[in-house]
Amino acid sequence: MAPVGSKRGILERLGAGEVVIGDGGFVFALEKRGYVKAGPWTPEAAAEHPEAVRQLHREFLRAGSNVMQTFTFYASDDKLENRGNKLTYTGQQINEAACDLAREVANQGDALVAGGVSQTPSYLSCKSQDEVTKIFKKQLDVFVKKNVDFLIAEYFEHVEEAEWAVQALKATGKPVAASMCIGPEGDMHGVTPGECAVRLVRAGADIVGVNCHFDPMTCVKTVALMKAAVEKAGLKAHYMAQPLAYHTPDCSCQGFIDLPEFPFALEPRILTRWEMQQYAREAYKAGIRFIGGCCGFEPYHIRAVAEELAVERGILPDASEKHGMWGAGLEMHTKPWVRARARRDYWEKLKPASGRPLCPSMSTPDGWGVTKGHAELMQQREATTPDQLRPLFQKADAKN
């Protein structure tokens, strides 16, 4: 176990050209395990069920993750209390518990702890920069107290709010990563990925990139646009990608939350472990060195990333002890036709069937076009009422 402070920091590693592997999507993974409620997607499980969060951290560490992100996604006070969400623990208690769990597991390997903040209901409700910054600061006070190794501003749809977050995070003196949930079309107000990246670097971000909302290849393409713009502006940064584990070729600007399958019927879109290896290789070729995952990513997906880049990293993850490279473990199978699949050529060429003969290959996104400034996106502490839901149901039915 390495003592806190003895490990090389995130910027030292990236500066040396090393690959840093992130973790996966905690809210989706823990929702499937029965510890997170879909809808609010808030992380009170860090305090309510620490054993579940701890175990997921351990599985990602074993799979090859170098970063244990605190399970503090949507852990701002205004999100924790949004739309009637009932809590047993305070925001401070949840953030502190998440930091302790991430540090405990990070110290069991060569991993760093990253404290994360996300977009806020207050911004969507048109609150001021001072009001939004105060919300970030409550979480930051915990991260500084718990001495996380670096900070991540992740899952921002609007570059303006991301800039505010970066400025608040930078004031702590710790390294800052900024990750937006956008695709090649840019943020929700049409700001291009390149402009977003330049603005974030100028705001103080050391690492820029994207997470969530889009599939791996779309995210790699988006980060490539960011990288080109930052370099053209004469600025320097490191780059990160933490995409979905779902195929999203039919998504529009809003990403997968516009898909009719979101969030309870996305399973047919999950990438295979072999497709994750392709993602890792393409990300590396694009100059991205912080490579992880978001919603839908399970530990075996991260193991695939670590295995694909094992030569570059000089190490295989512990979880590879139970996984033959490119299906080599199938050599031990009792059935000869399964043993015949123990080769890279087979898995690279396979086009997996869905087993759903009456289902389409792609969907039509809802595309309501609602973002900050629209009345329908104003948030509230009170629970959503039937009178508020009725026109939404009618609007959805009219579109379908």
Side-chain angles (χ1 to χ4, degrees), residues 99-272:
C99 289
D100 290 342
L101 291 167
R103 178 62 71 191
E104 176 188 342
V105 177
N107 283 350
Q108 296 169 12
D110 185 32
L112 301 171
V113 174
V117 302
S118 311
Q119 64 182 8
T120 63
S122 293
Y123 180 82
L124 293 178
S125 298
C126 301
K127 297 293 179 67
S128 69
Q129 180 175 358
D130 285 345
E131 291 172 297
V132 173
T133 300
K134 285 178 182 177
I135 291 168
F136 292 141
K137 194 171 185 309
K138 285 187 177 181
Q139 286 186 270
L140 290 174
D141 287 344
V142 173
F143 298 153
V144 170
K145 174 184 174 183
K146 294 294 184 177
N147 195 27
V148 301
D149 297 306
F150 69 103
L151 299 166
I152 300 179
E154 70 167 358
Y155 197 78
F156 285 85
E157 297 174 307
H158 303 88
V159 68
E160 180 182 56
E161 187 184 16
E163 286 177 295
W164 296 354
V166 167
Q167 290 164 5
L169 270 56
K170 196 68 175 178
T172 67
K174 292 184 178 291
V176 174
S179 184
M180 297 189 67
C181 51
I182 62 173
E185 295 180 46
D187 84 347
M188 293 303 101
H189 284 140
V191 182
T192 67
E195 184 178 344
C196 287
V198 169
R199 287 171 61 172
L200 292 173
V201 173
R202 285 178 173 156
D206 304 291
I207 308 161
V208 293
V210 296
N211 77 295
C212 207
H213 277 207
F214 294 92
D215 61 43
M217 294 311 176
T218 302
C219 286
V220 170
K221 177 181 178 181
T222 305
V223 178
L225 294 171
M226 290 179 151
K227 184 173 184 289
V230 170
E231 291 174 352
K232 184 177 180 180
L235 302 171
K236 291 185 178 181
H238 301 288
Y239 301 93
M240 68 185 296
Q242 299 206 104
L244 298 175
Y246 305 108
H247 289 287
T248 62
D250 40 357
C251 279
S252 53
C253 184
Q254 187 76 65
F256 82 142
I257 59 175
D258 265 8
L259 293 175
E261 299 95 335
F262 176 86
F264 298 130
L266 290 164
E267 283 81 359
R269 294 173 174 266
I270 292 177
L271 275 74
T272 68

